[in-house]
Amino acid sequence: MNPAGGLARILIGTLLALAAAWPVQAQSPSQPAQEPALQARELAPGAWYVEGLSALGSPANQNFISNAGFVVTPAGVVVIDALGSPALAQRLLAEIRRHTAQPVTHVILTHYHADHIYGLQAFKAAGAKIVAHQAAREYLNSDTARLRLQASRTELAPWIDEQTRLIPADEWLTGDTEFSLGGVRFVVKAVGPSHTPEDLIVYLPREKVLFAGDLVFRNRIPFVGQADSRQWIKALDSLLTFDTKVIVPGHGGVSTNAREDMELTRDYLTHLRKVMGEAARNLEPWEAAYQAADWSRFERLPLFRLANRMNAYNTYLLMEREGN
């Protein structure tokens, strides 16, 4: 097998599939596209979240494809993740104001993927302090981030445009931390490199609410990308030890069945590593191994067709590097 040639073919196929599936809605002055609903739902007293769509980002949905949370305290509001466009962030700020007059004091980023950070500049303008893990600095200053934003200015226009900027954190964390605001305790745990090098989760011990970021994808196929799936599985196992009543995943509906929903993501990653690891160890051609694998448990989940093939190929390459 030629890994470089195979990767090129897979990348081209995936990009074509994404282009075909990307829902660009035609608009006219008399019939503007309807905004996707953005309404906060309460998880526990003072803790709220908004749920993105199970879809690819598009002009029609303003890139509202990820979740965000906020915690209201007597001393201010802490937001977890900033959504996928400045317009969405403004709408989230307006939704927060429906529930409290307290200002947003902090935005904690679970990671620096575009659908979680393109709204940052709206929170920065509102006076919030941005907090993230220092491992995101490399991505933030990379050609990958710059080119992704450049492409988004075309693919997600007018919601991402020349005024949309990549915003660095005001505080770069080097590991776990805790703080209290208005009597509410926040536990911030570094769990990367997993989904990304900079993964953070936010846990509210009193409320037993866990904001898991993209470590948990509920009822849909995770986006694996260049993830360290071995560490991701370990991170999920550690989160299963938390005394959690409610999980806010990075994508998908809120979970009140912590174990089942974390195990779905974990079991998918474990399955990828098993079947692709065996193929890499036996020097099987990737395409033949992919076709022979049993995907029946996962193939009915949303976005399987778009994500699974690339997930499997990236995992095959990862298992080659790990040496099984």
Side-chain angles (χ1 to χ4, degrees):
M1 176 182 177
N2 179 344
L7 178 57
R9 289 193 296 274
I10 300 303
L11 283 169
I12 291 169
T14 301
L15 289 172
L16 289 172
L18 289 172
W22 202 283
V24 179
Q25 180 172 336
Q27 300 183 33
S28 67
S30 59
Q31 292 183 320
Q34 184 176 0
E35 286 189 330
L38 189 157
Q39 183 175 3
R41 304 173 190 176
E42 193 168 22
L43 306 160
W48 305 75
Y49 92 113
V50 296
E51 182 181 335
L53 305 173
S54 182
L56 297 172
S58 72
N61 61 34
Q62 300 179 12
N63 207 26
F64 187 27
I65 60 171
S66 64
N67 300 339
F70 62 93
V71 182
V72 178
T73 85
V77 180
V78 176
V79 170
I80 298 94
D81 285 341
L83 298 180
S85 64
L88 285 172
Q90 291 287 2
R91 292 176 60 197
L92 180 54
L93 280 164
E95 184 69 9
I96 291 170
R97 292 187 193 107
R98 290 184 58 239
H99 300 283
T100 181
Q102 292 289 340
V104 174
T105 59
H106 298 73
V107 177
I108 303 173
L109 295 175
T110 61
H111 62 297
Y112 254 87
H113 278 174
D115 52 322
H116 298 260
I117 67 162
Y118 280 173
L120 272 178
Q121 64 195 63
F123 289 104
K124 184 71 174 175
K129 177 182 181 180
I130 312 302
V131 180
H133 193 277
Q134 68 169 358
R137 282 172 156 170
E138 182 177 352
Y139 171 76
L140 189 63
N141 295 300
S142 69
D143 286 340
T144 301
R146 178 181 58 81
L147 292 172
R148 174 66 187 271
L149 177 57
Q150 181 178 311
S152 295
R153 286 170 172 155
T154 299
E155 295 163 350
L156 296 171
W159 310 108
I160 306 298
D161 60 20
E162 293 302 320
Q163 303 305 312
T164 308
R165 308 185 310 280
L166 294 171
I167 305 296
D170 299 300
E171 180 180 355
W172 293 106
L173 302 180
T174 58
D176 301 348
T177 190
E178 295 186 19
F179 68 95
S180 293
L181 184 70
V184 178
R185 182 177 165 217
F186 295 81
V187 176
V188 183
K189 184 175 177 62
V191 289
S194 296
H195 178 67
T196 67
E198 68 271 13
D199 290 309
L200 296 175
I201 61 91
V202 180
Y203 177 59
L204 308 180
R206 185 178 64 193
E207 295 78 7
K208 299 183 179 181
V209 173
L210 173 66
F211 295 93
D214 280 8
L215 260 68
V216 178
F217 286 67
R218 185 165 186 247
N219 292 330
R220 57 156 284 189
I221 288 294
F223 170 68
V224 175
Q226 303 300 314
D228 182 339
S229 54
R230 178 164 54 187
Q231 177 60 32
W232 191 345
I233 291 167
K234 290 180 180 178
L236 287 169
D237 285 337
S238 73
L239 295 186
L240 283 167
T241 68
F242 281 51
D243 184 12
T244 304
K245 287 186 176 179
V246 180
I247 297 176
V248 180
H251 300 264
V254 68
S255 169
T256 56
N257 189 336
R259 179 164 294 277
E260 179 178 322
D261 289 311
M262 280 195 275
E263 285 179 347
L264 177 63
T265 300
R266 186 191 65 182
D267 290 353
Y268 174 72
L269 296 173
T270 300
H271 185 68
L272 279 177
R273 290 179 61 85
K274 179 178 183 295
V275 297
M276 293 297 105
E278 289 176 356
R281 183 169 58 251
N282 296 330
L283 302 180
E284 295 178 43
W286 177 80
E287 182 67 36
Y290 182 82
Q291 294 300 328
D294 180 7
W295 304 109
S296 57
R297 180 180 173 189
F298 308 103
E299 62 188 359
R300 292 179 177 83
L301 293 174
L303 302 185
F304 175 88
R305 182 178 64 86
L306 293 174
N308 190 64
R309 191 174 176 87
M310 180 60 78
N311 288 347
Y313 191 80
N314 285 340
T315 303
Y316 182 95
L317 296 180
L318 174 67
M319 301 305 289
E320 283 188 324
R321 293 195 299 272
E322 288 183 3
N324 294 288

